[in-house]
Amino acid sequence: LGTYLVPSQPMALVAASHDDGGQAWPEVVRGYVTLSWRRSMEQDITFGIRQLVDIGERALSPGVNDPTTAVQVVNELHSILHQIMQTGAVPTALRDDSGVVRVVSGEWTFDQYLDLCVDEIAYWGADSLQVPDRLKQMLTQLEQIADTDQKRSLAAKLVQVETVTARAKA
């Protein structure tokens, strides 16, 4: 989802066996894909997250200087990350009954979503009084529902936010 394609760029590679029943793979793949000239929030969660992060960044710009709006963005991102964690990871490879990988997707990992939701806002809001505190609160609260891998990611992200904040205040 959300992948940018240029004309004639392959969108899928199919490795078919000799006993695939003569499938017309280009048509089969096209039947599972929708192409559009723009991204949509209904089908591409990263697009909605990107828009929220951009709003947060603009709110933190010197010309606007509205950290309260940035905190509201973090609140929305907190809800989104919570939902992602509750839903569980989307597998990046789908296997058939015999264990052979049949589909490899470009699904995002929890770490990628976490990076998108936190990194830029932490950077641009590092010298704010409100933003770092709200980011730390979000990460700490998410740790309470996290699995082991997510806890490691959240703890590392918390250290990163603290480091960026300390650097900005030095």
Side-chain angles (χ1 to χ4, degrees):
L1 292 173
T3 301
Y4 182 79
L5 297 172
V6 295
S8 76
Q9 176 185 354
M11 67 177 172
L13 299 174
V14 177
S17 66
H18 294 292
D19 60 350
D20 66 1
Q23 288 281 5
W25 287 110
E27 290 76 25
V28 170
V29 170
R30 275 191 214 108
Y32 289 99
V33 175
T34 300
L35 297 177
S36 178
W37 62 277
R38 64 185 170 121
R39 296 167 78 178
S40 74
M41 285 188 289
E42 295 80 18
Q43 295 183 341
D44 182 2
I45 187 173
T46 57
F47 180 55
I49 294 171
R50 175 81 262 158
Q51 288 181 316
L52 282 169
V53 170
D54 288 349
I55 291 167
E57 287 180 347
R58 280 193 289 281
L60 294 167
S61 70
V64 176
N65 192 21
D66 182 9
T68 301
T69 295
V71 167
Q72 291 301 315
V73 166
V74 174
N75 292 342
E76 294 302 321
L77 295 170
H78 186 169
S79 296
I80 291 168
L81 285 169
H82 185 273
Q83 185 64 38
I84 289 169
M85 292 169 72
Q86 294 296 311
T87 305
V90 176
T92 56
L94 301 175
R95 301 175 185 278
D96 65 14
D97 292 338
S98 59
V100 176
V101 173
R102 295 296 179 182
V103 176
V104 177
S105 73
E107 294 297 329
W108 279 45
T109 65
F110 174 73
D111 286 355
Q112 289 172 306
Y113 286 121
L114 186 61
D115 290 347
L116 178 59
C117 288
V118 174
D119 291 356
E120 294 173 41
I121 292 176
Y123 178 81
W124 293 109
D127 61 351
S128 164
L129 293 175
Q130 297 178 46
V131 175
D133 286 344
R134 181 59 186 104
L135 286 170
K136 292 174 196 175
Q137 181 185 44
M138 175 187 77
L139 295 167
T140 302
Q141 288 176 355
L142 289 172
E143 279 182 324
Q144 296 171 6
I145 63 160
D147 65 27
T148 304
D149 289 335
Q150 292 168 341
K151 281 184 185 196
R152 272 192 288 268
S153 299
L154 290 162
K157 190 60 67 181
L158 184 57
V159 169
Q160 179 184 337
V161 168
E162 290 169 343
T163 301
V164 168
T165 303
R167 232 180 272 146
K169 303 216 188 247

